[in-house]
Amino acid sequence: MNYSEPAYLVRRIGDTWIAADKTFSQFYELEPEHKLEPRISPDLPGVEPPEVPFFLYEPRIGDGVPKLCIMGIPYSGGTSLVHSSVSGLVHTLRTESYKKVLYPSLQQSGNSGLYDIGNGTRLLEDVIMQDWGSCLMDGADASAEVPYTRGLDSALEHAREHQALLCCLGGDHSITHGVLQRMPKAAGSHRVLVQFDAHHDCGIDAIHQEHPSHSNFVRHLLEDGTVDAVVQIGLRGLRSADQMYRHPGLVQISAEQMTPEKVKEALLEVQQRYDIDSAYLTFDLDCLDPGSFPYVDFPIGGGPTWQNIRNCVVAALEVPIPYLGMDMVEGHGVERDGHIPGQYELALRMLAYMLDGIDRNRRWFDSPVYGDISHAGILTGTAASMNTGTKET
Ligand SMILES: [Mn+2]
């Protein structure tokens, strides 16, 4: 491989683009060119574009349309805690991400990627993603069930038009309910929610049961049929008898029992049993042990190791079910940008694995290879019949 040629676009100074080689040891000046220009975030009603995007990364115009898009939903109206700071999570994660820059690639589409030097994995290298900013909270619109619907609806519509996946960053966990309810779903289609969480979020409060909240949205999703099944991973802690909830579509893998193999097994079984043709991933940051990430409103100790949770997330995204979206929720916002605790790197690292994994899942279902093997009937279940139009539903 020839290393002494421009590989990554580093920055623009006046009319000149500065590029670097693969090892960032030689730098080059490039003439201005239209395809080198950054693709600006779409102008979506109800969404404020980011001042500075995640990872300081803007895809080039020459890269084609981004297929993975990040959007904040800074909402805390679905939590039971007064003065929760979870609406600030997206801002804090975005600010934390400026320490890990992604540079657009000049030799193929994609970017310079991120190295996880803990295990040698390279993440996000082939991903063309775009930060769309954050939903505006239309507090004045009292008729709106939740105040972020205008922005969410326009983002979902734009994502559908471009066959892109939307990654939402909360906010409290009730946003998962908002997103799933508004994601278009074809008649006869069956969806599974894959949930990493320390809590079961099935709602046990006799008084506040009717309104979907961060602690009961799973029960609402199952009972109103928005999803056919929920696979919960990482549950732990004591519950009283009246706090338990059972539903035929609810599958739980506790923190003590979770392994990547069990996650895959459970998902494949649910896929068969409920004729599942799509999935949605939600990650509640309280799934992480408070020893590694304490910045959540309702921490439960005795959590699994970071590596185990990461491996289970990767495994869940490797199952042959197309994922149509995902979110990360329930982390605190940090007031001062200059004082973000070191543990937020762990939340960002998990997000990088989720973005990487869901894009691999998308590319696999988009690939001609998948079309071939599904036609040959090698895959079982509904995944095999899903090779056309999944993203259109
Ligand atoms: Mn939760």
Side-chain angles (χ1 to χ4, degrees):
M1 188 182 287
N2 184 4
Y3 284 98
S4 54
E5 54 183 71
Y8 303 119
L9 209 52
V10 178
R11 70 165 62 115
R12 185 182 190 148
I13 300 174
D15 268 350
T16 310
W17 278 103
I18 306 296
D21 67 355
K22 279 239 183 251
T23 55
F24 286 78
S25 50
Q26 294 210 48
F27 293 86
Y28 309 83
E29 287 186 14
L30 302 181
E31 290 299 312
E33 224 183 319
H34 178 67
K35 66 174 190 183
L36 295 180
E37 297 291 321
R39 181 183 288 273
I40 56 165
S41 303
D43 185 15
L44 301 168
V47 180
E48 188 173 40
E51 260 175 56
V52 181
F54 259 91
F55 304 107
L56 297 175
Y57 171 68
E58 289 172 302
R60 302 174 308 134
I61 283 175
D63 273 340
V65 180
K67 294 292 182 188
L68 183 56
C69 305
I70 301 175
M71 186 180 70
I73 305 183
Y75 178 68
S76 59
T79 178
S80 47
L81 191 79
V82 187
H83 305 309
S84 171
S85 67
V86 293
S87 61
L89 174 67
V90 59
H91 176 80
T92 299
L93 282 179
R94 194 179 268 124
T95 306
E96 175 67 19
S97 78
Y98 301 156
K99 298 173 190 165
K100 332 273 172 188
V101 181
L102 292 176
Y103 302 98
S105 174
L106 293 163
Q107 294 173 353
Q108 66 264 323
S109 60
N111 63 77
S112 51
L114 294 173
Y115 290 89
D116 183 343
I117 59 170
N119 64 0
T121 305
R122 186 109 173 241
L123 300 165
L124 299 173
E125 207 180 354
D126 302 315
V127 180
I128 306 163
M129 58 185 179
Q130 190 171 45
D131 187 349
W132 284 358
S134 292
C135 282
L136 296 163
M137 295 293 131
D138 295 334
D141 184 4
S143 64
E145 197 185 325
V146 281
Y148 52 82
T149 50
R150 194 163 64 103
L152 176 58
D153 286 344
S154 59
L156 285 170
E157 173 60 19
H158 197 79
R160 195 194 57 77
E161 270 170 34
H162 294 93
Q163 294 173 32
L165 302 178
L166 194 59
C167 168
C168 294
L169 300 176
D172 69 64
H173 216 159
S174 71
I175 69 146
T176 303
H177 185 265
V179 174
L180 277 168
Q181 279 224 316
R182 281 171 175 77
M183 271 177 66
K185 190 175 163 202
S189 163
H190 300 282
R191 190 162 294 168
V192 62
L193 171 64
V194 182
Q195 179 186 8
F196 285 82
D197 208 311
H199 309 87
H200 60 26
D201 294 349
C202 287
I204 30 71
D205 186 329
I207 298 161
H208 304 289
Q209 283 200 24
E210 293 320 307
H211 194 67
S213 75
H214 78 138
S215 59
N216 69 16
F217 73 94
V218 171
R219 179 171 54 74
H220 279 269
L221 287 173
L222 282 167
E223 289 177 4
D224 65 24
T226 307
V227 300
D228 297 82
V230 179
V231 176
Q232 300 185 318
I233 304 143
L235 306 181
R236 55 193 185 261
L238 295 173
R239 301 284 185 279
S240 57
D242 61 333
Q243 291 173 327
M244 298 303 288
Y245 177 75
R246 300 258 178 269
H247 187 283
L250 184 64
V251 176
Q252 300 177 321
I253 305 173
S254 74
E256 291 185 40
Q257 312 235 306
M258 65 194 271
T259 63
E261 295 72 32
K262 282 211 170 106
V263 169
K264 283 190 177 178
E265 241 170 67
L267 277 166
L268 290 172
E269 201 195 308
V270 160
Q271 181 187 27
Q272 291 285 321
R273 184 151 35 106
Y274 290 95
D275 206 13
I276 296 295
D277 51 36
S278 66
Y280 182 93
L281 173 67
T282 180
F283 193 94
D284 187 322
L285 283 164
D286 66 32
C287 185
L288 299 174
D289 185 81
S292 43
F293 191 81
Y295 303 103
V296 295
D297 287 341
F298 300 94
I300 304 187
T305 64
W306 141 263
Q307 286 83 358
N308 189 10
I309 302 176
R310 187 268 321 273
N311 293 346
C312 287
V313 165
V314 171
L317 290 166
E318 281 174 355
V319 170
I321 306 174
Y323 280 77
L324 301 187
M326 65 176 189
D327 64 53
M328 176 178 270
V329 295
E330 291 281 334
H332 289 165
V334 174
E335 217 154 279
R336 289 191 296 165
D337 289 349
H339 292 78
I340 300 176
Q343 289 94 332
Y344 277 83
E345 198 270 348
L346 207 58
L348 188 73
R349 213 192 306 170
M350 187 63 81
L351 180 63
Y353 274 95
M354 288 166 62
L355 291 166
D356 185 83
I358 203 169
D359 199 68
R360 281 177 202 282
N361 178 281
R362 178 190 66 75
R363 275 179 279 141
W364 193 76
F365 277 97
D366 281 354
S367 70
V369 179
Y370 171 68
D372 291 348
I373 56 176
S374 62
H375 281 306
I378 293 167
L379 288 171
T380 55
T382 45
S385 59
M386 285 297 295
N387 66 324
T388 53
T390 310
K391 307 295 186 304
E392 306 292 339
T393 57

